[in-house]
Amino acid sequence: MKILVVNAGSSSLKYQLFDLEDDKNDVLASGICERIGIDGSNLHHETENGTEFNSDFEMPDHKVAVELVIDALLSPEHGVLQSLNEVEAVGHRVVHGGEEFANSVVIDEEVKDAIKACYPLAPLHNPPNIMGIEACEAAMPGKTQVAVFDTAFHQTIPDKAFMYALPYELYEKHGIRRYGFHGTSHAYVSEIAMELMDNPEAKVITCHLGNGSSIAAVNAGECIDTSMGMTPLAGVPMGTRTGDLDPAVVTYLMEHEDLSAEQVDSLMNKESGFLGVSGVSSDCRDLSAAADSGNARAELALKMFNYSCSKYIGAYSAALGGVDAIVFTAGIGENSPSLRLEILEKLSYLGVELDSELNSQKIGAYKLISTEDSRVKVYVIRTDEELKIAQETAALAE
Ligand code: ADP
């Protein structure tokens, strides 16, 4: 079954065309449209046969971008399809589903209205997600379109964990609560961990550590807590985001640095985290290189990150009443043995024993990196949010 996966941002649109069979999940083609609505729009397209092209096109909006993607998929030179009829359905990444969506859904007018009702909660993400959906509806009328939400997996979190201790009316009026993000990734890697352990009841802590990072506590496949909050700003420190902060810091900054709400928001989202503390870079590799050559603030930023990740793992083992597995995924989680070691080295009291040899080896799709005797299994599992979106879409299309 061929499934097109679309991830639409404000000025970009990423896509992957999957061919899913029982045990097979081939990516036939993938690519990205960049600078949509800006001068110098560009489409990069590549196929599993190794053909690729990179071309500048006029892309005034997402509708034109989707038409160009379809042309590329059907093109005699770089195409992988004879006809669009071969595509069974289109799966869309949607960032915020609020309390409305605990699962992926087939998109209709009502679903689109509910996604639009979440605009205030994700003003930068949901509007372009809708643009991507409407562009695909226009270009492929009648084709099944499915929405897969970053927040859906976290909808099983109980109220004691998702509520903030603000006046209750603010939750009722504005939906101010913890939602959590990266749900597709946490769901994907926790499912694989449970399969690897052959234990559907397992208590799993998943650490998605990339440019944006979040940690989740998963009990028998159900998420019970996660580090991101109403927005993706909360939790551990990230590339450019603060992570958790005393909320009084916000009003203090507004008063004493004379900043507007918008300016504080930008400072906390774009100028903080690794970048803000180190003054070097938001990228973990740059930070590690700087720390290795003696930059104390780069070293401090990394220590803060490791410390925060360790604390979340400790907290979530308490929330779960134990832990059977810890999973690392995403750019940092998959690729940095030294950070994995530093995050876990104080956790031997939980029964975590890392095998330093396995931890330093290259990983494939997944790897067990704990010792044979370790009570808690530690896995590195390569995340694949697009594949998970394709699988959810295929299940609904069937
Ligand atoms: P995004 O959240 O944008 O999807 P990724 O999951 O790709 O991000 O993660 C990007 C982060 O992963 C960057 O901070 C990058 O430095 C880090 N990273 C990638 N490779 C390595 C590596 N070998 N060692 C340490 N960090 C790495």
Side-chain angles (χ1 to χ4, degrees):
M1 184 188 287
K2 295 194 177 96
I3 302 287
L4 181 64
V5 172
V6 171
N7 181 355
S10 57
S11 67
S12 73
L13 185 140
K14 293 188 208 145
Y15 61 94
Q16 287 195 19
L17 180 69
F18 284 88
D19 190 6
L20 303 181
E21 297 296 335
D22 291 342
D23 248 358
K24 185 180 82 156
N25 36 57
D26 291 343
V27 178
L28 301 179
S30 62
I32 180 167
C33 301
E34 285 178 299
R35 301 181 62 85
I36 300 171
I38 312 172
D39 278 350
S41 321
N42 176 276
L43 167 62
H44 180 85
H45 173 85
E46 52 191 64
T47 70
E48 67 166 354
N49 324 322
T51 65
E52 62 179 293
F53 76 86
N54 207 8
S55 276
D56 291 347
F57 290 101
E58 284 271 305
M59 286 185 221
D61 55 31
H62 288 68
K63 192 162 170 289
V64 176
V66 167
E67 284 161 5
L68 288 164
V69 169
I70 292 172
D71 286 349
L73 293 170
L74 291 170
S75 102
E77 308 94 77
H78 319 286
V80 287
L81 294 173
Q82 305 295 320
S83 150
L84 263 190
N85 292 337
E86 292 169 52
V87 177
E88 190 70 33
V90 184
H92 296 267
R93 175 186 183 210
V94 179
V95 167
H96 219 305
E99 290 188 328
E100 197 67 36
F101 300 104
N103 288 296
S104 305
V105 283
V106 174
I107 298 170
D108 58 16
E109 288 306 312
E110 218 175 299
V111 167
K112 283 199 287 179
D113 287 345
I115 295 172
K116 288 177 188 171
C118 296
Y119 279 0
L121 291 170
L124 300 180
H125 294 102
N126 275 27
N129 294 159
I130 281 283
M131 286 194 267
I133 290 168
E134 291 182 339
C136 289
E137 285 176 337
M140 293 171 268
K143 187 84 66 199
T144 304
Q145 314 272 342
V146 169
V148 180
F149 299 91
D150 270 23
T151 49
F153 182 60
H154 302 302
Q155 277 296 302
T156 46
I157 294 176
D159 53 5
K160 67 179 178 193
F162 76 63
M163 284 299 291
Y164 295 132
L166 286 164
Y168 195 84
E169 304 79 58
L170 292 174
Y171 161 62
E172 294 175 310
K173 185 172 171 197
H174 297 288
I176 295 176
R177 52 159 284 182
R178 180 188 309 282
Y179 290 97
F181 299 86
H182 295 138
T184 314
S185 177
H186 290 293
Y188 180 77
V189 299
S190 59
E191 272 165 31
I192 295 180
M194 288 186 296
E195 273 168 36
L196 292 171
M197 288 187 285
D198 195 18
N199 178 4
E201 303 296 317
K203 299 175 193 295
V204 183
I205 297 174
T206 48
C207 308
H208 177 111
L209 311 178
N211 275 322
S213 298
S214 66
I215 301 185
V218 184
N219 189 25
E222 278 198 351
C223 186
I224 63 149
D225 207 347
T226 192
S227 59
M228 282 180 168
M230 180 176 91
T231 75
L233 183 57
V236 300
M238 304 172 222
T240 59
R241 294 176 234 168
T242 54
D244 296 335
L245 205 63
D246 176 347
V249 173
V250 175
T251 44
Y252 186 94
L253 281 173
M254 292 173 84
E255 213 173 313
H256 296 272
E257 285 280 316
D258 196 20
L259 298 178
S260 66
E262 201 180 323
Q263 285 169 321
V264 184
D265 188 70
S266 170
L267 179 131
M268 294 187 301
N269 274 290
K270 299 187 185 147
E271 297 164 41
S272 301
F274 291 166
L275 177 66
V277 174
S278 71
V280 172
S281 170
S282 63
D283 190 286
C284 184
R285 280 165 296 194
D286 295 345
L287 228 53
S288 299
D292 287 347
S293 55
N295 184 313
R297 271 170 49 189
E299 192 180 341
L300 172 63
L302 289 171
K303 277 190 184 157
M304 288 166 66
F305 175 73
N306 297 338
Y307 180 64
S308 179
C309 290
S310 307
K311 279 208 299 189
Y312 265 103
I313 294 172
Y316 287 167
S317 71
L320 287 162
V323 51
D324 298 308
I326 298 169
V327 179
F328 287 93
T329 193
I332 299 172
E334 291 167 21
N335 296 303
S336 180
S338 60
L339 290 197
R340 292 194 297 255
L341 174 67
E342 281 159 33
I343 290 168
L344 294 181
E345 67 191 351
K346 283 206 185 60
L347 301 181
S348 54
Y349 78 95
L350 283 177
V352 181
E353 272 185 57
L354 206 58
D355 183 318
S356 52
E357 176 64 33
L358 293 176
N359 184 40
S360 60
Q361 289 171 3
K362 261 201 150 359
I363 65 150
Y366 60 85
K367 191 172 193 74
L368 179 72
I369 58 167
S370 47
T371 63
E372 237 169 76
D373 294 337
S374 181
R375 199 150 44 76
V376 178
K377 302 232 177 294
V378 184
Y379 294 101
V380 182
I381 300 177
R382 208 170 280 293
T383 194
D384 195 340
E385 288 157 290
E386 288 76 17
L387 172 61
K388 178 77 177 152
I389 293 172
Q391 289 168 337
E392 299 264 316
T393 303
L396 284 170
E398 265 172 354

